[in-house]
Amino acid sequence: MIRVLVVDDEALIRTGFTHILESAEDIEVVAAVAGGQAVHSARELRPDVVLLDIRMPDVDGLTILADLRRMPEPPVVAMLTTFDTDEYVATALRSGAAGFLLKDTDPEQLPYLVRDLAESGTVLSSKVTRLVVGGFLDNTVREPSALALTARLTERERAVLVLMAEGLANNEIGERLHLSTGTIKGHVTNVLGKLRVSTRVQAALIAERAGLLASAQDEGVR
């Protein structure tokens, strides 16, 4: 079971996320709390994944993120936001957030995104991913290096990389390419290994620098 802690100042959001996630047989919401209870709940309940609202009136989500990251065995933390242009995106990612989810994420996709979080430690909603690869984050991988790295990929792996960079979950990539989710997981592992990165965000940045996203747009992939 994937143990999830939901942290949001709005009771309706907490209830909605809990209901959606607990409809999945392999996900358990161990608690759904407001910001002031987040750190205590995480220390006591030891969730695998924390979905954390970035903007709360009682306590700043970035402060909670920092406290969670200082735990001996910190959970994977994804920030929740209603803003696809939230100025905190870069700060949160640099501070150790595993990614961002918009609160209007398709309910059917939420369990898949949580599974991706638990498995790979990174996930982004597609709108946020486009914001990141569009230049919101500083990037040390320049075009020549990115081209050399992506040249190692097979044609199928490049297709998977482009869809990863669009923010698609593994099941969505599988549907797009007519492959099983298990096969996609294998391709994702290979892509990360060949690019010498550990997260989808890093892979997306390399794809953007190598021009794969612009090429895919021209070919009608996106």
Side-chain angles (χ1 to χ4, degrees), residues 207-219:
E208 191 271 337
R209 291 299 179 186
L212 295 184
L213 306 188
S215 297
Q217 188 174 30
D218 291 341
E219 295 169 5

Side-chain angles (χ1 to χ4, degrees), residues 30-41:
V30 295
V33 301
Q37 303 168 276
V39 176
H40 173 75
S41 297

Side-chain angles (χ1 to χ4, degrees), residues 22-51:
E22 290 202 329
S23 66
E25 296 181 354
D26 58 337
I27 297 175
E28 175 189 5
V29 177
V30 295
V33 301
Q37 303 168 276
V39 176
H40 173 75
S41 297
R43 288 173 176 165
E44 183 174 311
L45 299 173
R46 309 299 300 179
D48 303 304
V49 172
V50 176
L51 303 181

